[in-house]
């Protein structure tokens, strides 16, 4: 089962465009990320620049409208994520609990919708989806294989 662990840092909605985490935080997170890698559960992980550097595209009346960040109406924003592949939601929760977060961090865990989760009507409407998912799965498997090989190499 795939899950996304979404990092929601307090105060990130008002962080300056050049905000960066401190070295101590990065070092602790690096150890955690390596544990995810060595366990073979991480599929992807990324940190995001502050909302001040982003844009939001909305569609009022069906017409695209672009708004530059920061976004004063935002109370919580995404700061980064991990995509993991584990056996259960309980295992995803256990991994999130191991994260070296502090009082200023929340991790939201959301299960990825798999093709099989959709009704036949939705599957029919998304006719290109199987081809896209197959290509992405191939990329994920190659990345996972590469990560395992790199982890074995580091252990030597």
């Amino acid at each position: 089962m795939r899950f996304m662990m979404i990092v929601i840092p307090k105060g990130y909605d008002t962080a300056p465009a050049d905000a960066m985490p401190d070295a101590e935080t990065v070092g602790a997170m690096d150890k955690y990320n390596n544990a995810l890698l060595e366990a073979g559960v991480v599929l992807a992980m990324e940190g995001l620049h502050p909302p001040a550097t982003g844009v939001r595209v909305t569609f009022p009346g069906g017409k695209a409208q672009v708004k530059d960040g920061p976004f004063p109406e935002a109370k919580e924003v995404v700061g980064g994520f991990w995509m993991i592949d584990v056996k259960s939601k309980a295992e995803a929760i256990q991994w999130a609990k191991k994260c070296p977060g502090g009082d200023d961090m929340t991790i939201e865990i959301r299960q990825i919708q798999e093709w099989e989760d959709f009704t036949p009507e939705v599957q029919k409407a998304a006719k290109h989806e199987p081809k896209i998912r197959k290509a992405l799965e191939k990329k994920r498997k190659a990345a996972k294989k590469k990560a395992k090989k790199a982890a074995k190499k580091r252990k030597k």
Side-chain angles (χ1 to χ4, degrees):
M1 301 171 88
R2 293 182 300 146
F3 290 87
M4 181 174 276
M5 299 192 310
I6 304 162
V7 177
I8 305 169
K10 284 183 186 169
Y12 210 49
D13 54 319
T14 58
D18 61 352
M20 285 286 152
D22 60 71
E24 184 179 336
T25 300
V26 171
M29 202 58 74
D30 181 64
K31 289 177 185 174
Y32 175 71
N33 291 341
N34 193 54
L36 289 167
L37 177 68
E38 288 183 353
V41 300
V42 69
L43 299 173
M45 59 182 206
E46 299 295 340
L48 302 173
H49 283 278
T53 67
V55 298
R56 286 189 175 174
V57 180
T58 58
F59 300 89
K63 186 176 178 184
Q65 186 176 49
V66 178
K67 181 179 179 184
D68 291 326
F71 313 107
E73 68 280 359
K75 293 181 183 176
E76 294 181 334
V77 297
V78 176
F81 69 90
W82 294 273
M83 180 81 69
I84 60 173
D85 189 356
V86 293
K87 291 181 176 71
S88 65
K89 184 177 182 179
E91 186 179 351
I93 292 168
Q94 288 306 310
W95 276 109
K97 289 168 71 174
K98 293 177 184 178
C99 181
D103 291 341
D104 63 344
M105 181 187 213
T106 298
I107 297 178
E108 180 177 329
I109 301 170
R110 307 268 299 275
Q111 187 172 353
I112 304 300
Q113 288 182 324
E114 302 294 353
W115 179 249
E116 298 77 24
D117 296 336
F118 295 110
T119 64
E121 296 80 22
V122 171
Q123 288 181 0
K124 186 177 179 183
K127 64 182 179 181
H128 298 293
E129 193 78 11
K131 174 182 71 174
I132 294 167
R133 286 178 181 262
K134 186 175 181 179
L136 293 174
E137 182 63 23
K138 185 177 178 182
K139 282 186 172 187
R140 276 195 296 274
K141 284 181 179 179
K144 196 171 184 178
K145 186 177 179 181
K146 185 178 177 181
K148 282 184 177 182
K149 191 181 270 188
K152 283 182 183 179
K153 200 176 198 179
R154 280 194 301 277
K155 284 183 180 181
K156 290 181 181 180

